[in-house]
Amino acid sequence: MLRRPRRNRQTEAIRNLVQETTLHVNDFILPLFVIEGQNQRVEVGSMPGINRFSIDTLQDEIASCVELGVKAFAPFPSIPDQLKDKYASESHNPDGLYANAIREIKKNFPDVAIFSDVAMDPYSSDGHDGIVENGEILNDETLEVLGKMALAQAQAGADVVAPSDMMDGRVAHLRHVLDENGYQKVGIMSYTAKYASAFYGPFRDALSSAPKMGDKKTYQMNPANTREALLEAELDIAEGADYLMVKPALAYLDIIKSLRENSHLPIAAYNVSGEYAMVKAAAQKGWIDGEKAMLESLLSIKRAGADIILSYFAKEFAQYQKR
């Protein structure tokens, strides 16, 4: 036999030399959950090892992550029900929880990158990403709220706003609002292909943001569709997106690969709460090696073509890499 591929697998040193895909802490954005109060650190029951932090304890968590090399964060707010309304008014409150959290992070850690979430659902009394009228999600009216939200986040210090709502035309609207107000340097990471997935449950538990009626299938994408993701990407690029994102990651590796092959923009993938929770639950049962499963899952996302990975494993991976 002239060709024996096993020759390149003989030792660890040789395997490392020919390894095609590598993971580095610089590849990651760590999602974080922010809650009201002081000295609060509350574990998310469905996400072992993940906590909700008040703004003060959040600074300690970020400090420990920065020490490990994690320099990019995506905070998400858990808003009390009494502050939620039909129009998500609290989402653009300059003195609200989210704006204050972003300001405090940037004050204490000016060199980290903050990717802020632009979507109504954490602030909406309906639990949807848009304004609800007679059971319908209104697209164009929602854009006005999203614009106010993105501007408030930019004013607080966000480096990149990340619209996760899947409303048509939102990237162009946000770019216009930001530019009109002097925030040309603030980037947009579009949730380009966000699917109507069953893997979001633990996240919605963490933020108490599940829809109060119906589902999100009229705006989030059908899991059966691939070409539609290319259409969304084409529109986002034309509207001024700086990054394209696929969410979830593991069940949509083919979509990540497709976007990578059809765009020169950075491709991000969100390794979502349900994907994290499955690995953790199986590891706690002793059914799998949790660390090895984490590494294999993250590697598959990078191998598929993601430049950036949003993952609740980011800190754990950084600890692993430090060893």
Side-chain angles (χ1 to χ4, degrees), residues 176-192:
H176 173 75
V177 169
L178 292 169
D179 290 355
E180 281 277 295
N181 287 276
Y183 290 97
Q184 294 89 348
K185 293 182 179 179
V186 173
I188 297 177
M189 174 182 276
S190 177
Y191 284 59
T192 295

Side-chain angles (χ1 to χ4, degrees), residues 199-260:
F199 290 102
Y200 302 148
F203 177 94
R204 292 173 181 170
D205 287 346
L207 299 187
S208 299
S209 62
K212 301 300 188 291
M213 48 74 66
D215 55 38
K216 300 191 176 188
K217 292 181 180 180
T218 66
Y219 48 101
Q220 293 180 358
M221 284 179 53
N222 185 340
N225 291 359
T226 300
R227 294 190 302 273
E228 187 180 4
L230 295 177
L231 172 61
E232 290 281 4
E234 181 182 337
L235 291 169
D236 285 350
I237 293 167
E239 292 177 19
D242 299 288
Y243 313 76
L244 306 178
M245 188 201 294
V246 176
K247 181 181 180 181
L250 292 177
Y252 299 89
L253 297 176
D254 59 321
I255 308 301
I256 298 170
K257 181 176 176 61
S258 184
L259 262 60
R260 172 71 290 148

Side-chain angles (χ1 to χ4, degrees), residues 128-171:
H128 276 283
D129 297 54
I131 297 171
V132 182
E133 287 286 1
N134 300 318
E136 180 184 354
I137 312 300
L138 303 183
N139 191 95
D140 295 8
E141 292 83 350
T142 295
L143 298 185
E144 296 301 316
V145 179
L146 300 179
K148 293 177 183 178
M149 192 186 313
L151 180 58
Q153 294 168 4
Q155 290 169 336
D159 299 282
V160 180
V161 297
S164 61
D165 55 285
M166 292 300 290
M167 297 296 115
D168 293 339
R170 86 273 203 209
V171 172

Side-chain angles (χ1 to χ4, degrees), residues 90-126:
E90 184 66 15
S91 68
H92 46 87
N93 178 1
D95 298 313
L97 171 67
Y98 199 51
N100 284 332
I102 293 171
R103 270 194 295 270
E104 194 69 12
I105 295 169
K106 292 301 285 188
K107 182 182 79 173
N108 293 313
F109 307 96
D111 295 329
V112 305
I114 298 298
F115 292 74
S116 61
D117 182 53
V118 180
M120 285 180 56
D121 55 331
Y123 313 90
S124 167
S125 51
D126 294 303

Side-chain angles (χ1 to χ4, degrees), residues 257-319:
K257 181 176 176 61
S258 184
L259 262 60
R260 172 71 290 148
E261 291 175 344
N262 286 277
S263 174
H264 296 298
L265 288 183
I267 304 299
Y270 200 145
N271 179 212
V272 298
S273 59
E275 295 169 342
Y276 172 90
M278 288 192 301
V279 171
K280 286 296 184 181
Q284 286 183 342
K285 289 284 190 179
W287 295 338
I288 62 172
D289 183 311
E291 184 175 272
K292 289 180 179 178
M294 170 190 73
L295 295 172
E296 188 175 341
S297 297
L298 296 174
L299 191 64
S300 75
I301 298 168
K302 185 76 179 291
R303 189 183 66 241
D307 303 290
I308 301 164
I309 304 173
L310 289 85
S311 178
Y312 302 95
F313 284 119
K315 183 179 181 181
E316 188 174 340
F317 173 79
Q319 292 169 328

